Amino acid sequence: MEKIVSLCKRRGFIFQSSEIYGGLNGFWDYGPLGTELKRNLKDFWWRRMVRERDDVVGMDGSILMNRQVWVASGHEQTFSDPMVDCRICKSRLRADQLPEKNGRKQCAVCGSFDLTEPRAFNLMFKTFVGATEDDSAITYLRPETAQAIFVQFKNILEVSRKKLPFGIAQVGKAFRNEINPRNFTFRSREFEQMELEYFCRPEQGPDLLEYWLKERLKFYSDIGISQDLLHVHKIPPDECAHYSKGTYDIEFEFPFGIQELEGVAYRTDYDLTQHQKASGKSLDYFDEELKQRFIPHVVEPSAGVDRTTLALICAAFDEEQVTDEKGDAETRTLLRFHPRMAPIKCGVFPLLKNKERLVQQAREIVELLRPHMMVFYDESGAIGRRYRRQDEAGTPFGITVDFDTIGENGPANEGTVTIRERDSMEQQRIGLGEIKSFLTEKIN
Ligand code: GAP
């Protein structure tokens, strides 16, 4: 994990937030490569979950909502972790994560047994809307994106004219004042979620839970996370949330342990019922086929953008021993991203930077590819070093314009470039006219 964190900083995937002021625990900034990676993930999720389907529409809700949303959903009362204070070192710790010695709970920081009784600590960030800071102005930064979907259910049903089963999808920020943010970006205080609320008739819920679990597992394999690194954990009924009639956690083998990436939960009609009761507005659905009016049930696949981004980096990270151009052994660090997810799809290199025709041809290739994908032009240093820099950034392909390309070695290979594949390091020659289709086919 240390190597991964260091690579993320060195290559500009992820930085500590407010680093020059000492940082802020649980907050992270994404640099140029991390931002592209995260964007590719969110775009592909949106494509799979919304654009390629007839039965899902999107929405984009506000982060702050009327406080009553959080009262009705139960978050104000119950969205909390049990917490204890250490009377010796004053650390505040999660009661359910304390080490034990001889059956007694111990402070994880100083080892003392002098701990307070557990108290519920609400994880929502409180804020005030408007100029006065009194109780009437209180609300919270949303701890999940899902509630915006539930409270807009009726509006979206009307404008989209969908029939059950259908879903509403959303990608956006969520905030939780986690007691112990840890494991890099895995448990943060500000993060993004990709959530789908899939509404259905009550009797369809159990089958749809299985259907969405399968769809979501396929998604992970389509972004290059191999099934061997994934685990499906069926939550025992007595550990499920009280409104859930079944939950699966999709877990990933992180270097720090097997941990949750996504929850797929059958939430019954709990949320819509709560909001209907609290708002007094009807949130039911008239089923024309059944000639019945009822509150739809919902199955929710809820994934974390930051956790999946971290999983993509962990799954892709590799080091291997190779021989450099001088015949010396060296360690090649690379990120074996699926081309679909890779922040940069292709590096373009003129063999020499002081040979105008090579540079001009390489720049033309960049212009040809730029409208279709993220490309990176690099003319500095030995070609081997340039390849290595792109290996570390996870760039799946590298194109080199050499003397053959411009016909200086005779006509045999004129108008062709070498294309190098990151994982195998194999090179082949292809024609200038084939470059675009070769790459677009691989990255889509
Ligand atoms: N609407 C359901 C819901 O929010 P959750 O299991 O609490 O369920 C869903 O969260 C996903 O959001 C998690 O599987 C995880 O990927 C992500 N997530 C939750 N808390 C997080 C945190 N503190 N830091 C990063 N990601 C988090």
Side-chain angles (χ1 to χ4, degrees), residues 60-85:
D60 189 5
S62 65
I63 284 169
L64 298 183
M65 291 188 275
N66 191 308
R67 180 183 183 178
Q68 295 313 314
V69 172
W70 307 112
V71 175
S73 66
H75 283 83
E76 196 178 86
Q77 267 297 309
T78 59
F79 193 61
S80 54
D81 278 340
M83 174 214 78
V84 297
D85 287 323

Side-chain angles (χ1 to χ4, degrees), residues 260-277:
E260 176 190 334
L261 269 190
E262 164 161 0
V264 187
Y266 173 24
R267 294 177 73 126
T268 65
D269 59 356
Y270 172 78
D271 301 273
L272 289 180
T273 305
Q274 288 295 104
H275 289 302
Q276 172 165 295
K277 267 198 241 153

Side-chain angles (χ1 to χ4, degrees), residues 144 176 178 186 188 193 195 260-261 300 302 304 307:
E144 62 171 15
R176 297 182 189 180
E178 298 283 357
F186 178 81
S188 314
Q193 291 184 314
E195 298 201 293
E260 176 190 334
L261 269 190
E300 174 198 68
S302 169
R307 281 191 191 175

